[in-house]
Amino acid sequence: MNEKQHLPDANRLSILASTILLAYAISPYVNIPVRSFGISILGIAYNFDFNFSLLLSLLVSLLAAVGADWLVRGHPELRETNTMQHWILPALTAWVIGVPLRNLQPGVEWWVVFGFGGLLLILVFVAEYIVVDLSDDLHAPAAIGLSAVSFALYLFLVISLRAAGLRLYTILPAIVVCMALVALRTLYLRLNGRWCLAWGVAIAIIVGQFAVGFHYWPLSPLSFGLLLVGPSYALTSIAASIEEKHPWQTLWIEPAVMLVVLWGLAFVVSA
């Protein structure tokens, strides 16, 4: 039996990962003053802080997206000219890695997060390369892994936003936009290369409504994150099952179980 497996070029992968990690490694030693600016809308003042760490995260996320494109274009089975779907998760991973690194002081914890984040980023790049070919022997586990990482990163991002104590108008766009990207990428992987833009937007809007309601509850960051990931995963799973034309009698079982488990955990950790 012939095995069909493709792995990314080691030189390209090492250059890409080392460049991104080097940018984060030097960030604690660059000190640029924070710049604040504000706007007024309908008589309400909104203040925003812009610093070097935020700029670095944006640039690194862009670098991860461009690097993922560069990596997958070396795949021998690539048949599509638009590789945008492979940018989403690497960019989100690079962004999320920077969240704890911005808030931790250099030390053991910082380097643990740095090392774990670097390993996760490499695995995401490798998985994105593998899923280019639907007939690859490793496609199924790579797609499952990417979907799992997507929701794990989303959970971590929501927890970080909540822990930062930001106001609703600041965190809501990030929660909604990132949810749309996670839902779109997950559905694309599960449906073997089919975009479901309407589902992605609808799921993001519904999750945004949950975020507005839960924002004013006295919840810990972990509970807040679990309460949002529950409906996020359930709605995405339901959308995929409907598109795959699963029977209505069974398509709700997995989403309902996961929702109960995640919300149960949320209330346990908040007790």
Side-chain angles (χ1 to χ4, degrees):
M1 180 177 178
N2 294 327
E3 292 186 355
K4 186 178 182 181
Q5 298 179 2
H6 295 289
L7 294 174
D9 180 75
N11 292 326
R12 288 192 179 191
L13 181 62
S14 59
I15 291 172
L16 179 57
S18 60
T19 302
I20 293 174
L21 293 177
L22 178 62
Y24 277 130
I26 64 175
S27 62
Y29 309 102
V30 179
N31 186 17
I32 298 177
V34 177
R35 296 184 179 274
S36 299
F37 64 95
I39 59 175
S40 180
I41 301 177
L42 299 177
I44 303 175
Y46 297 92
N47 297 315
F48 301 92
D49 293 331
F50 190 80
N51 53 38
F52 172 75
S53 297
L54 179 59
L55 177 61
L56 179 65
S57 293
L58 292 172
L59 292 176
V60 169
S61 297
L62 179 61
L63 176 61
V66 174
D69 181 84
W70 176 54
L71 197 65
V72 300
R73 288 191 182 278
H75 198 293
E77 301 295 331
L78 183 66
R79 297 290 182 266
E80 51 199 0
T81 57
N82 186 358
T83 59
M84 188 178 298
Q85 66 274 14
H86 300 287
W87 306 355
I88 298 173
L89 193 53
L92 183 60
T93 305
W95 172 272
V96 171
I97 290 172
V99 173
L101 294 181
R102 289 199 303 267
N103 297 320
L104 290 173
Q105 295 298 320
V108 176
E109 291 182 350
W110 192 94
W111 285 106
V112 169
V113 173
F114 177 82
F116 177 76
L119 178 61
L120 180 62
L121 185 64
I122 291 172
L123 292 176
V124 167
F125 280 131
V126 172
E128 286 288 355
Y129 186 90
I130 291 172
V131 298
V132 168
D133 183 10
L134 296 177
S135 62
D136 195 296
D137 294 336
L138 298 175
H139 181 274
I144 293 172
L146 286 176
S147 298
V149 168
S150 297
F151 284 100
L153 289 172
Y154 186 69
L155 173 62
F156 190 81
L157 178 64
V158 172
I159 290 173
S160 301
L161 292 173
R162 178 73 170 187
L166 303 173
R167 296 175 65 180
L168 179 61
Y169 73 85
T170 304
I171 69 172
L172 188 59
I175 289 174
V176 172
V177 172
C178 289
M179 184 66 256
L181 294 176
V182 168
L184 284 171
R185 186 60 177 137
T186 302
L187 291 172
Y188 185 91
L189 289 169
R190 185 161 168 177
L191 301 177
N192 293 326
R194 207 151 40 91
W195 287 111
C196 297
L197 182 60
W199 277 117
V201 173
I203 292 169
I205 292 174
I206 294 173
V207 172
Q209 297 301 311
F210 277 104
V212 171
F214 291 142
H215 179 76
Y216 296 103
W217 288 20
L219 299 167
S220 67
L222 179 56
S223 296
F224 182 74
L226 290 170
L227 286 173
L228 286 189
V229 171
S232 302
Y233 179 86
L235 291 168
T236 305
S237 180
I238 289 173
S241 296
I242 292 174
E243 290 295 325
E244 291 171 337
K245 302 188 184 325
H246 288 185
W248 284 95
Q249 294 84 348
T250 58
L251 69 78
W252 59 271
I253 296 177
E254 181 205 358
V257 170
M258 289 301 298
L259 181 63
V260 170
V261 170
L262 291 171
W263 277 14
L265 286 173
F267 286 107
V268 167
V269 299
S270 65

